[in-house]
Each structure stands twice: as structure tokens, then as C-alpha cells.
Amino acid sequence: MTGILGKKLGMTQVFTEDGKLIPVTVIEAGPCCVVQVKTPEKDGYEAVKVGFLEERKTKNIRKPMAGVFKKAGTAAYKILKEFPMSGLKVGDIIRTESFAKGDVVSVSGISKGKGFQGVMKRHNFKGGPGSHGSMFNRAPGSIGGSSFPSRVWKGMRMAGHMGCDRVTVSNMTIIDVRPEQNLLLIKGAIPGSPNTIIEIRKGK
């Protein structure tokens, strides 16, 4: 597996050589520095911890994590994430060159927060009639009988907080790689608003 962290910049569109228009999401991916290597002998699994974005002041970092940065001899990065990768050592830099045009990747991010929403927007309920004196428009309807079960079933779809969830979208195609700008152009929309931190993974 190959993984990298990035920041969503927004969406645009590009044209292919045959004139087709493709909507793409622009991601500033990397460079990411390996700050720690997990081994099966010491940690029980194999992975690397990578850092991304601007450095933080040492005084603002908890001592255990500050010790990791000090031992690695790297900067104190703001964003840290583990990827199940091998063959890397502390100090290695992961760049957009690890990906190529046409690669299929999985993208993870935090979706946009939409606040408290009703059942029609949150769960796609149909709702009631919109005219002729109807008093049932956007309400959820019955949520439980009085005789049985005399309570609300656990997991009942109701109004509530919507968004701010971790969402993973698989099988997304990289349309273009621009190493000189650290940019990846991925076909279609990905979770999150602009400046959201994105995890990009390419399978074996």
C-alpha cells in the first residue's frame, strides 16, 4: 500500500485530449515525512507514521510525542497519521511522485457539518402531502406503538446532527499528477470542505 496526507483545495474541471470535460478535486498532497516506523517485533504490526503540514512549537507538544520527534530528528508536524506501509525509514519523504495518472485510490476525510437536520434531509424520508390542508408535511410519522413496544426502538431514524462523519470513497481515479506543485487531481467529489485534511491510499 502507498499512502499520503493532503489538503483539499477545491474543485475545478479539466478537458481530456478527446475533448471530454471531467470534474476534478484538487488536493495538495504532501510532502509527508516519516517520523516513526512500527515493526512487528516491537509494536506487533507493521506501519509508518507520517507527518504533514507546518511545524508546531515544541512547547505546545505533549512530552511523549515530542520525544518521538526528537528521536527521529524531524520537525514537529501538525498532522500525524499511520499507514500500513513497509520499506521506509525515519526521515524519508513521501511525495506525489508515488502516484501516477490513472491510479485508482481510496480517499478518506471528514464530511461537511450540516448541523441539526430533519428526517427528510438526514434520511431522505418522503414526507407528507404539501397541500389540501395537510398537517403532516416534514414530520417523521410514528416512531413506536403505545401498546407494543411501548418505547422507541434503538436505532430509530430521527432528526439529529448531520455531517462531520469520517467518510471513505473507494475506486477514485487520479486524472493528473503535478509534482512541481505537490498537486493531485482526482476525478469527482471527495468528502469535506476546502482545507479539510484528506487521506489518500493506493492499494497494492
Side-chain angles (χ1 to χ4, degrees):
M1 167 183 278
T2 301
I4 196 172
L5 293 172
K7 181 170 66 173
K8 178 179 176 179
L9 299 182
M11 291 196 68
T12 185
Q13 53 194 22
V14 296
F15 288 91
T16 61
E17 295 178 356
D18 55 356
K20 291 183 179 179
L21 185 146
I22 301 177
V24 296
T25 302
V26 182
I27 300 177
E28 180 187 347
C32 296
C33 179
V34 177
V35 299
Q36 192 176 23
V37 177
K38 304 283 187 175
T39 59
E41 297 77 21
K42 184 177 180 181
D43 304 286
Y45 64 101
E46 192 174 42
V48 295
K49 181 178 289 185
V50 301
F52 177 59
L53 281 186
E54 65 271 9
E55 305 173 11
R56 291 191 298 170
K57 294 181 180 179
T58 307
K59 68 183 183 67
N60 295 332
I61 306 172
R62 293 182 178 180
K63 288 184 178 180
M65 203 64 238
V68 172
F69 291 129
K70 183 177 180 181
K71 181 179 179 181
T74 62
Y77 289 94
K78 184 176 181 181
I79 307 298
L80 295 171
K81 182 66 183 177
E82 284 189 9
F83 291 98
M85 297 189 291
S86 60
L88 297 172
K89 61 182 184 297
V90 173
D92 285 351
I93 303 297
I94 304 172
R95 303 181 186 274
T96 52
E97 286 89 340
S98 301
F99 299 86
K101 183 177 179 179
D103 283 348
V104 177
V105 296
S106 296
V107 180
S108 301
I110 303 299
S111 63
K112 290 183 179 180
K114 301 184 182 299
F116 190 99
Q117 297 296 334
V119 291
M120 290 182 68
K121 181 168 183 174
R122 192 182 187 207
H123 299 296
N124 298 316
F125 279 20
K126 180 182 177 182
S131 61
H132 297 289
S134 172
M135 303 293 285
F136 177 69
N137 302 115
R138 301 181 67 88
S142 174
I143 59 173
S146 59
S147 59
F148 178 82
S150 299
R151 62 185 178 87
V152 178
W153 289 109
K154 186 176 182 180
M156 177 67 63
R157 294 182 297 169
M158 300 173 68
H161 183 271
M162 181 180 178
C164 292
D165 298 315
R166 178 182 166 85
V167 180
T168 299
V169 183
S170 302
N171 300 324
M172 304 199 76
T173 305
I174 295 179
I175 299 300
D176 195 9
V177 179
R178 300 179 181 176
E180 65 281 356
Q181 299 172 292
N182 295 321
L183 296 180
L184 292 177
L185 274 60
I186 298 180
K187 183 179 179 180
I190 64 174
S193 56
N195 296 320
T196 298
I197 300 301
I198 301 296
E199 301 166 24
I200 305 169
R201 295 178 175 84
K202 180 177 69 172
K204 295 181 180 179

